[in-house]
Amino acid sequence: MAGVRRDGSLMREKGGHSLRGSRIAAAVAIGVLLGCVCAFAFPNGFFSPAPSMRNRRLSKSDLEIGSLSCESSEKISMLKTDIMGLTEKNAELKKQVRDLTEKLRLVEQGKGHAQEQYVVSDKQPKAGPFGTVKSLRTLPTVLPDESVNPRLAKLLEKVAVRKELIVALANSNVQSMLEVWYTSIKKVGIPNYLVVALDDGIANLCQSNSVPFYKRDPNEGIDSVAKTGTNHAVSGLKFRILREFLQLGYSILLSDVDIVYLQNPFDHLHRDSDVESMSDGHNNMTAYGYNDVFDEPAMGWARYAHTMRIWVYNSGFFYIRPTIPSIELLDRVAERLSRPPPAWDQAVFNEELFFPSHPGYVGLHAAKRTLDMYLFMNSKVLFKTVRKDANLKKLMPVIVHVNYHPDKLPRMKAVVEFYVNGKKDALDPFPDGSDW
């Protein structure tokens, strides 16, 4: 009986397991079926947002992107403006730094100038035997600075020979003399010369006659004098204009236009001084200096006082090297001519060049040389002395400067006739001096 009961309970357990398995299988099948139906009926899911919500969300996103894009463009524009402003400020600051550096350099040179008269190198030299001691004749040239005037620097590279050239300033008031001037230069074959054209008329004249010229950038202060000024007013400009040439490292033979060239002047320069100039003197004493005795009888035993005299250098023809004393000379003369009372540029030029240091005044430490008065001849020497002397008439000057006479053009033409064309009586019609 016990065995029968065990078999029966086993059969009931098997039947219960089978029923539960079929129910689970049926539930799984129903679930899969419902899942397929739902997937087909609701492809976007039960909780997907409505189309209007999706559109609103997309539209808002687009607006945000558009807004960001506009803001970025504005910021870029603002940054570009800021960069341009900073670039301009940077350029201005650089210019100020250059100017201050130049001023500092000049101050330092001024402070050390006295010491440099004694110490010219790292080693202090010993004095040699009697009669053998020679001081330095020339100072070193400045370091060229092309940033001063890049356009002029490029022009001078083409025109100059061995860093030297003749320079003349001219406006239309002196056109006729300028034509004689550059014709004589071409005749001699001098290649290194330049006209600083102070107005369009002179620029056009030079261009049409293959004459090297330089037209300055506009400058109201200079141009007003340059275009309408008298000869003396124009002469005062040259000291300001020449400074740039020296800063660029060039030695300049400054020339007025009332000059006839008969030889190449660069073959007759010494180049041992800051300034070499022709003289207004008319003989050895006046041109090169002399001991002039001043007599004051009231002083009794001490009635005679000795004075050193020399006739002035001509500021219309001088050779100037690019040294610090030379540039200081130009600065001093230009500064004095720019303020009242009115002054003659030649007088100021000589005062600054010759006056020594004294209480309340520091003199210019510049070396100077007087050029040979028969080679670099003024018109007083020519018309008062040379034309009347048979031996002196045989000499060939380097230049003749018609500085003593107001009838400049006819005398210039007569000089050409006498020295170039061989007309022996070409100088005879003119008086020694001028007719008032």
Side-chain angles (χ1 to χ4, degrees):
M1 290 295 294
V4 174
R5 281 198 299 269
R6 279 198 299 270
D7 292 342
S9 103
L10 287 171
M11 288 177 65
R12 282 196 299 272
E13 287 176 5
K14 287 180 182 178
H17 283 301
S18 175
L19 182 60
R20 281 196 301 273
S22 60
R23 287 177 181 173
I24 291 171
V28 169
I30 292 169
V32 171
L33 181 61
L34 288 173
C36 292
V37 172
C38 290
F40 180 78
F42 303 99
N44 294 321
F46 291 104
F47 303 104
S48 63
S52 59
M53 292 290 290
R54 284 201 304 273
N55 291 338
R56 281 198 298 272
R57 189 175 299 169
L58 289 173
S59 298
K60 185 177 181 181
S61 176
D62 291 341
L63 289 172
E64 289 175 352
I65 292 171
S67 176
L68 288 172
S69 177
C70 291
E71 289 178 5
S72 298
S73 298
E74 291 176 359
K75 287 181 179 179
I76 290 171
S77 299
M78 290 174 64
L79 286 172
K80 286 182 178 179
T81 303
D82 291 343
I83 289 171
M84 289 177 64
L86 290 171
T87 302
E88 292 175 358
K89 287 181 180 179
N90 188 42
E92 180 63 26
L93 288 171
K94 283 183 177 179
K95 182 178 182 300
Q96 291 178 11
V97 168
R98 284 199 305 269
D99 293 343
L100 290 172
T101 302
E102 176 69 10
K103 289 179 181 178
L104 179 62
R105 183 177 66 82
L106 292 174
V107 169
E108 291 298 325
Q109 285 173 337
K111 286 169 61 180
H113 194 75
Q115 184 178 357
E116 287 169 5
Q117 303 307 305
Y118 301 98
V119 184
V120 295
S121 65
D122 293 337
K123 272 190 174 182
Q124 287 182 274
K126 290 182 179 179
F130 179 83
T132 65
V133 176
K134 300 292 181 183
S135 63
L136 290 179
R137 293 297 190 268
T138 58
L139 292 172
T141 57
V142 298
L143 184 68
D145 182 6
E146 293 189 1
S147 66
V148 170
N149 191 329
R151 184 166 66 87
L152 179 59
K154 289 181 180 179
L155 176 60
L156 295 182
E157 285 180 6
K158 299 176 183 178
V159 176
V161 175
R162 293 188 293 274
K163 304 287 282 187
E164 296 177 322
L165 72 157
I166 301 169
V167 173
L169 280 68
N171 61 18
S172 294
N173 294 335
V174 296
Q175 178 174 326
S176 297
M177 287 189 290
L178 179 65
E179 291 174 343
V180 178
W181 180 86
Y182 67 66
T183 300
S184 70
I185 286 177
K186 289 182 176 182
K187 181 74 174 178
V188 174
I190 303 169
N192 49 330
Y193 68 101
L194 182 72
V195 175
V196 178
L198 299 176
D199 57 37
D200 293 334
I202 293 299
N204 294 334
L205 174 71
C206 292
Q207 190 169 23
S208 61
N209 289 277
S210 301
V211 173
F213 73 96
Y214 167 64
K215 188 75 163 56
R216 299 182 63 261
D217 294 330
N219 183 304
E220 289 185 11
I222 293 178
D223 292 343
S224 60
V225 176
K227 293 179 180 179
T228 60
T230 63
N231 288 343
H232 283 305
V234 171
S235 294
L237 294 178
K238 62 194 172 195
F239 299 99
R240 290 179 60 183
I241 294 173
L242 279 182
R243 192 185 205 279
E244 290 185 346
F245 288 80
L246 267 59
Q247 283 182 276
L248 293 172
Y250 289 85
S251 295
I252 300 301
L253 185 55
L254 189 280
S255 173
D256 282 352
V257 297
D258 56 345
I259 292 175
V260 176
Y261 286 77
L262 302 166
Q263 297 188 61
N264 191 329
F266 294 107
D267 296 336
H268 300 273
L269 297 173
H270 292 77
R271 301 172 180 84
D272 63 350
S273 304
D274 298 297
V275 177
E276 296 181 52
S277 178
M278 70 173 295
S279 172
D280 272 2
H282 59 95
N283 55 28
N284 285 345
M285 287 176 57
T286 56
Y288 309 135
Y290 62 103
N291 180 7
D292 185 35
V293 180
F294 177 78
D295 184 11
E296 189 177 6
M299 287 298 295
W301 175 81
R303 64 181 290 180
Y304 299 110
H306 291 257
T307 68
M308 302 310 299
R309 300 282 298 277
I310 187 171
W311 284 32
V312 295
Y313 283 176
N314 192 290
S315 62
F317 188 91
F318 60 88
Y319 177 80
I320 186 165
R321 296 174 62 247
T323 64
I324 290 300
S326 296
I327 295 173
E328 184 180 0
L329 171 64
L330 298 181
D331 288 352
R332 286 184 177 211
V333 176
E335 193 276 329
R336 283 186 57 185
L337 293 175
S338 67
R339 56 181 167 84
W344 183 26
D345 69 281
Q346 181 160 291
V348 175
F349 176 73
N350 280 271
E351 288 171 4
E352 293 298 337
L353 199 53
F354 282 95
F355 281 177
S357 297
H358 55 261
Y361 177 80
V362 178
L364 182 73
H365 298 278
K368 45 196 172 290
R369 168 182 279 274
T370 306
L371 294 169
D372 189 312
M373 70 172 181
Y374 289 118
L375 293 179
F376 299 89
M377 192 183 297
N378 63 57
S379 58
K380 181 175 182 177
V381 172
L382 175 62
F383 286 97
K384 187 179 179 184
T385 305
V386 170
R387 68 171 176 167
K388 301 175 184 179
D389 188 293
N391 290 322
L392 292 177
K393 285 174 71 174
K394 297 176 184 177
L395 296 175
M396 176 60 73
V398 176
I399 61 121
V400 174
H401 188 179
V402 187
N403 61 316
Y404 268 99
H405 301 88
D407 51 338
K408 296 180 181 298
L409 186 59
R411 289 187 188 246
M412 289 177 71
K413 291 180 177 179
V415 169
V416 174
E417 288 294 325
F418 181 79
Y419 284 109
V420 178
N421 299 329
K423 189 177 179 180
K424 301 301 182 181
D425 60 348
L427 303 176
D428 294 347
F430 298 94
D432 289 357
S434 59
D435 294 327
W436 290 97

